[in-house]
Amino acid sequence: MECVGARNFAAMAVTAFPSRSSRRRFPVVKRYSFKNLRCGLCRVVRASVGSGGGGGGGSGSESCVAVREDYADEEDFVKAGGSEIMLVQMQQNKDMDEQSKLVDKLPPISIGDGSGALDLVVIGCGPAGLALAAESAKLGLKVGLIGPDLPFTNNYGVWEDEFNDLGLQKCIEHVWRDTIVYLDDDNPITIGRAYGRVSRRLLHEELLRRCAESGVSYLSSKVESITEAPNGLRLVACEKNTVVSCRLATVASGAASGKLLQYELGGPRVCVQTAYGVEVEVENSPYDPEQMVFMDYRDYTNQKVRSLEAEYPTFLYAMPMTKTRVFFEETCLASKDVMPFDLLKRKLMLRLDTLGIRILKTYEEEWSYIPVGGSLPNTEQKNLAFGAAASMVHPATGYSVVRSLSEAPTYASVIADILKHDTTSFTKHINSNISRQAWDTLWPQERKRQRAFFLFGLALIVQLDIGGIRSFFHTFFRLPKWMWQGFLGSTLTSGDLVLFAFYMFIIAPNNLRKGLINHLVSDPTGATMIKTYLRV
């Protein structure tokens, strides 16, 4: 489940400290080891699929996995799916017949017919790309959309009021009037906020409708490169030797966009949130259909496999549509070493079995893979970015969709202002990089301060075991309600976040205070956060 509202918990750990300092490594469970991956130059790699562990050379089987020249380097490959890439690609390529094809609804991009260059090309057809293309075309720009014609396959959850504010309330297919959290006992913490499940079909159709009505044109193709012509136009090279010219190009093709964009050097290492989910029909469920279960960190095994849960903490995310139809998802909030989907599946099935939940029918499986953290794009480059490609994913939660949808109108307006010059003025400004104005809109200093705060929290959360996580959340929910609800709703400013941290420090146990001080002094993200806050 890619939640688009607020599972903003990793960043809360700014006042916690790791109860174990060693770096977690997961047991190899049907892992995929890729050979010859070097700077994205490999076209086909061998994937050795087996049960892992030591043993003879005959274990597992080999199969060819197509890995095209889509990845700039190893980190870009990790963003694309890394060791779990086959399941990630399977998720991306699910059949969703009820969603319209872009090629059936949008006119084709005119190529080589003397029609001239487009004002803007948006690369990527996810929610961020569709929203930006529609908003830009509404402002009178000649916009082309380029990318594979794929449906929305991830389940989306959202705070109901946030989608209402975006005018997308009709895209919500189910609403829970309250949301709860379980930590270490059967007494839930009530969030006091309505939560909704987004209809993938309705969201896709609504964004596609906006594109069609505003005159966006479309080309179904992968993009190989973006270069600059002598006259300052951008040349977008696609498959089959197709080249689309435009005045500005914006990459919205997801986190693994290193082939088309430059990212700052020396930034934090990217971490990954993984989740395995199933929508099922069950005999019975202990969860109330009137309440959405945001997190369930309880010891579901009753200490039968204590080491597994203590070493690899995960939580259950549950959407009970009825007493017998439920979407369950086992989630690793964030990890430096990707938690394998097979381990998440094993933990989920063990949890359901321990709870006495018997599955009668499986409607859908989901493999959710969200890179978090990492470097910001280089804001000196002339190619623009939006959505996950622009590092707009919340570093500690994996959320980006609501931010992308809400910021698309403003970003489109800035792009339109840049392009509404005459041709001579445009060529002059292109040479001096007019894209910087758009980059500054996405990443003003206030946003950078917030992100530095969240990255500091992310560096802590990846080290916490289940005891540390529970201890932290017990402290967190003792904060004033406006503070933790504001944090969950992503409404706190960088100044509010400082107040949040001090308040947590005051009410936290002494061991947490000590841990915070040690982490602030010893971890590079602490120094980066301080420098970012002090920068004017």
Side-chain angles (χ1 to χ4, degrees):
M1 170 68 67
E2 180 181 345
C3 294
V4 298
R7 205 187 296 167
N8 296 358
F9 286 134
M12 303 170 198
V14 294
T15 51
F17 78 102
S19 51
R20 55 188 302 273
S21 58
S22 61
R23 177 176 160 189
R24 289 196 293 265
R25 290 197 176 275
F26 301 110
V28 180
V29 184
K30 198 175 180 181
R31 298 301 297 273
Y32 310 95
S33 61
F34 289 83
K35 301 176 181 179
N36 300 326
L37 178 68
R38 193 168 296 149
C39 297
L41 297 179
C42 57
R43 290 182 178 274
V44 178
V45 295
R46 282 284 178 186
S48 179
V49 183
S51 57
S59 64
S61 61
E62 282 199 340
S63 62
C64 285
V65 181
V67 180
R68 296 168 58 85
E69 294 175 343
D70 291 336
Y71 312 115
D73 50 32
E74 184 177 352
E75 178 156 307
D76 204 41
F77 176 66
V78 170
K79 291 179 179 180
S83 60
E84 304 298 301
I85 195 167
M86 290 196 290
L87 290 173
V88 173
Q89 291 178 344
M90 187 163 67
Q91 173 70 24
Q92 294 170 345
N93 289 280
K94 283 181 178 179
D95 289 329
M96 295 284 177
D97 294 336
E98 72 278 10
Q99 296 183 31
S100 298
K101 288 289 187 180
L102 303 182
V103 72
D104 294 333
K105 299 292 184 178
L106 301 178
I109 292 176
S110 299
I111 301 171
D113 60 356
S115 57
L118 295 167
D119 291 319
L120 175 69
V121 162
V122 177
I123 300 164
C125 304
L130 290 177
L132 180 62
E135 293 295 334
S136 300
K138 275 172 56 178
L139 297 174
L141 298 183
K142 188 177 179 183
V143 179
L145 182 69
I146 303 177
D149 197 346
L150 297 175
F152 295 173
T153 59
N154 275 16
N155 282 286
Y156 297 115
V158 62
W159 298 116
E160 184 191 27
D161 57 331
E162 290 186 341
F163 246 42
N164 290 347
D165 292 343
L166 292 171
L168 294 171
Q169 58 269 28
K170 292 182 179 179
C171 296
I172 298 178
E173 63 183 8
H174 192 100
V175 175
W176 293 266
R177 286 302 159 196
D178 211 342
T179 311
I180 58 175
V181 171
Y182 290 101
L183 294 178
D184 53 8
D185 57 36
D186 294 333
N187 298 314
I189 297 168
T190 301
I191 301 297
R193 195 176 185 190
Y195 200 80
R197 180 178 180 174
V198 177
S199 166
R200 291 167 287 187
R201 179 185 68 84
L202 292 178
L203 180 61
H204 184 271
E205 298 305 296
E206 173 60 21
L207 295 178
L208 179 53
R209 180 191 66 79
R210 295 180 184 183
C211 285
E213 290 184 355
S214 58
V216 174
S217 55
Y218 174 65
L219 173 65
S220 178
S221 174
K222 290 185 177 180
V223 172
E224 302 294 340
S225 65
I226 308 171
T227 56
E228 185 175 6
N231 61 359
L233 292 177
R234 313 305 292 167
L235 303 178
V236 182
C238 306
E239 296 171 314
K240 300 180 181 179
N241 297 317
T242 301
V243 177
V244 179
S245 60
C246 59
R247 298 169 70 190
L248 281 179
T250 299
V251 180
S253 53
S257 296
K259 185 180 173 184
L260 304 176
L261 293 168
Q262 302 165 8
Y263 290 85
E264 292 178 351
L265 299 177
R269 174 185 172 185
V270 68
C271 296
V272 178
Q273 178 187 109
T274 48
Y276 171 79
V278 288
E279 184 167 340
V280 293
E281 193 76 28
V282 298
E283 275 190 350
N284 64 300
S285 169
Y287 296 108
D288 184 350
E290 299 299 317
Q291 296 177 318
M292 186 272 166
V293 182
F294 198 60
M295 292 193 316
D296 188 345
Y297 267 116
R298 288 177 294 181
D299 184 5
Y300 59 91
T301 63
N302 296 320
Q303 299 187 2
K304 293 177 183 176
V305 286
R306 179 67 178 171
S307 61
L308 181 66
E309 178 58 16
E311 192 74 5
Y312 313 114
T314 59
F315 63 88
L316 180 68
Y317 176 92
M319 289 181 158
M321 272 69 74
T322 67
K323 283 294 292 182
T324 59
R325 183 160 181 164
V326 189
F327 178 81
F328 295 111
E329 189 161 70
E330 196 75 22
T331 303
C332 171
L333 188 57
S335 178
K336 290 182 180 178
D337 298 305
V338 178
M339 182 176 285
F341 289 120
D342 282 349
L343 177 57
L344 288 163
K345 181 176 182 177
R346 184 158 58 118
K347 294 188 70 176
L348 175 60
M349 294 305 150
L350 179 59
R351 183 193 295 271
L352 298 183
D353 182 65
T354 304
L355 291 172
I357 299 173
R358 181 169 173 261
I359 296 175
L360 302 177
K361 181 180 180 180
T362 299
Y363 296 101
E364 182 181 2
E365 285 184 283
E366 176 173 276
W367 299 269
S368 176
Y369 186 99
I370 305 173
V372 293
S375 298
L376 287 174
N378 180 350
T379 57
E380 298 296 329
Q381 64 189 308
K382 294 182 180 179
N383 295 334
L384 300 177
F386 195 61
S391 300
M392 292 171 68
V393 176
H394 192 296
T397 68
Y399 302 150
S400 68
V401 177
V402 160
R403 181 182 171 190
S404 296
L405 295 178
S406 61
E407 293 191 19
T410 301
Y411 196 48
S413 178
V414 171
I415 291 174
D417 287 342
I418 290 172
L419 294 177
K420 286 181 179 177
H421 296 285
D422 58 44
T423 304
T424 302
S425 177
F426 174 77
T427 303
K428 176 182 177 181
H429 285 294
I430 265 291
N431 292 330
S432 61
N433 190 11
I434 61 170
S435 301
R436 183 59 187 265
Q437 181 182 348
W439 279 118
D440 288 343
T441 300
L442 276 188
W443 286 109
Q445 194 60 33
E446 168 66 9
R447 281 286 189 187
K448 291 180 179 180
R449 293 188 188 102
Q450 293 169 341
R451 190 173 193 269
F453 185 95
F454 295 139
L455 286 172
F456 181 61
L458 176 62
L460 281 166
I461 202 70
V462 297
Q463 301 178 66
L464 291 173
D465 66 6
I466 188 63
I469 288 174
R470 288 173 180 154
S471 176
F472 166 72
F473 287 135
H474 274 300
T475 305
F476 171 76
F477 285 111
R478 291 174 54 207
L479 289 169
K481 194 171 184 179
W482 72 267
M483 192 174 285
W484 59 261
Q485 282 196 340
F487 198 105
L488 293 179
S490 299
T491 60
L492 300 184
T493 66
S494 60
D496 292 333
L497 291 172
V498 173
L499 180 62
F500 168 90
F502 275 116
Y503 207 116
M504 281 283 286
F505 184 84
I506 291 171
I507 67 174
N510 287 334
N511 57 346
L512 296 187
R513 297 176 186 172
K514 181 180 178 181
L516 171 61
I517 295 172
N518 289 339
H519 193 76
L520 185 64
V521 171
S522 62
D523 194 272
T525 58
T528 300
M529 179 178 65
I530 293 172
K531 289 178 183 178
T532 304
Y533 263 78
L534 294 177
R535 190 175 298 128
V536 178

